[in-house]
């Protein structure tokens, strides 16, 4: 899909679904710090480029990646537990929203159903958004099934199957359905290629936000903006109409 000057001309969403980490909340550095601390705890060092490969990856998969790349596959459970513990400590100490996130969410609230589709544990997402004063604006929070919290809301799809993490389409597809929106009329807002792949596989249209990938690609996003207060985003017809 090619980014155009007017990618959403004549189009408006029936729902908007946001990623959380790196899109609404400035937590990617917290994940990076947590990965470094977890590696250090076990006397290990990440391979070059690991941070980029781990961006947007579910923490369970990230723990396995950490163990595999360190050639210590048996340490996967311990690394995963350490990773999540360090992250939760960091995010509790420093809940910060991404530039323009609060203003953009507040401008859409009440005009179109809003949801969050995240690879993070539900408690982390809800706590972060609550501390930022944003949780009240979202009708639904959808997260993947977590073996440690099997009864968490959002863990089961309507057909009874477990919700899988991004890049599977499950979190975005479920969020759109819960909002009562058609997939093709739902907009996803994402900062990672993993998340963009998930949204596209669910049939959603996508706005990428943040730093463009190092290779200059867009992952198939309809539009890529540096922040959520970018004029290119705020001047879209349906946004401006509010």
């Amino acid at each position: 899909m090619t980014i155009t000057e007017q990618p959403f001309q004549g189009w408006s969403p029936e729902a908007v679904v946001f990623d959380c980490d790196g899109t609404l909340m400035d937590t990617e550095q917290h994940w990076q710090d947590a990965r470094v601390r977890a590696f250090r705890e076990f006397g290990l060092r990440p391979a070059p480029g690991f941070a980029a490969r781990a961006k947007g990856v579910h923490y369970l998969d990230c723990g396995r990646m950490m163990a595999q790349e360190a050639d210590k596959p048996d340490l996967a459970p311990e690394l995963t537990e350490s990773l999540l513990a360090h992250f939760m400590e960091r995010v509790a100490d420093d809940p910060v929203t991404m530039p323009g996130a609060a203003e953009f969410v507040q401008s859409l609230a009440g005009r179109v159903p809003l949801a969050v589709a995240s690879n993070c544990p539900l408690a982390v997402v809800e706590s972060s958004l609550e501390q930022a004063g944003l949780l009240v604006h979202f009708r639904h929070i959808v997260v993947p099934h977590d073996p440690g919290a099997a009864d968490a809301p959002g863990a089961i799809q309507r057909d009874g199957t477990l919700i899988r993490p991004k890049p599977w389409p499950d979190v975005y597809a479920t969020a759109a359905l819960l909002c009562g929106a058609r997939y093709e009329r739902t907009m996803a807002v994402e900062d990672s290629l993993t998340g963009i792949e998930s949204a596209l596989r669910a049939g959603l249209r996508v706005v990428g936000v943040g730093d463009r990938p190092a290779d200059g690609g867009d992952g198939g996003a309809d539009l890529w903006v540096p922040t959520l207060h970018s004029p290119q985003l705020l001047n879209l017809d349906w946004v401006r109409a509010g």
Side-chain angles (χ1 to χ4, degrees):
M1 189 178 299
T2 302
I3 294 178
T4 64
E5 290 298 318
Q6 295 179 305
F8 293 101
Q9 187 173 17
W11 185 91
S12 61
E14 296 175 351
V16 179
V17 183
F18 292 82
D19 170 55
C20 186
D21 281 6
T23 300
L24 293 174
M25 302 301 300
D26 190 2
T27 48
E28 184 52 39
Q29 186 58 50
H30 297 341
W31 279 117
Q32 174 59 8
D33 290 346
R35 290 189 288 262
V36 170
R37 293 181 186 193
F39 272 124
R40 187 182 300 144
E41 187 175 317
F42 290 89
L44 305 172
R45 296 182 64 181
F50 183 81
R53 293 191 295 278
K55 185 175 181 180
V57 174
H58 188 264
Y59 80 96
L60 293 175
D61 294 326
C62 187
R64 286 190 287 267
M65 285 174 59
M66 293 169 71
Q68 290 166 359
E69 295 205 12
D71 199 25
K72 300 285 185 180
D74 292 343
L75 282 180
E78 290 88 349
L79 279 167
T80 301
E81 183 178 354
S82 175
L83 170 66
L84 184 58
H86 285 301
F87 172 75
M88 293 186 74
E89 179 182 340
R90 290 288 290 116
V91 79
D93 291 341
D94 187 25
V96 178
T97 56
M98 294 297 290
E103 296 84 354
F104 188 58
V105 169
Q106 290 162 1
S107 73
L108 300 182
R111 297 172 47 206
V112 61
L114 304 180
V116 171
S118 175
N119 264 355
C120 276
L122 181 67
V124 173
V125 177
E126 290 187 333
S127 175
S128 298
L129 294 176
E130 178 67 33
Q131 291 183 67
L134 295 179
L135 183 61
V136 66
H137 299 305
F138 294 101
R139 294 189 184 182
H140 306 285
I141 309 291
V142 182
V143 300
H145 168 71
D146 186 335
D151 295 330
I156 309 296
Q157 297 188 76
R158 288 185 174 181
D159 63 3
T161 60
L162 298 178
I163 291 179
R164 299 164 294 183
K166 306 170 188 177
W168 293 97
D170 302 12
V171 287
Y172 276 110
T174 301
L177 285 172
L178 289 173
C179 287
R182 293 168 287 178
Y183 300 138
E184 69 274 12
R185 295 303 297 264
T186 302
M187 189 175 85
V189 185
E190 261 288 352
D191 75 305
S192 75
L193 294 180
T194 298
I196 289 172
E197 179 182 348
S198 171
L200 291 175
R201 289 173 68 181
L204 278 59
R205 302 195 68 178
V206 184
V207 171
V209 61
D211 295 333
R212 290 285 289 270
D215 63 3
D218 54 59
D222 295 86
L223 173 68
W224 199 288
V225 295
T227 69
L228 289 176
H229 52 43
S230 168
Q232 194 176 7
L233 175 63
L234 299 182
N235 287 332
L236 293 175
D237 291 342
W238 68 272
V239 176
R240 191 170 50 194

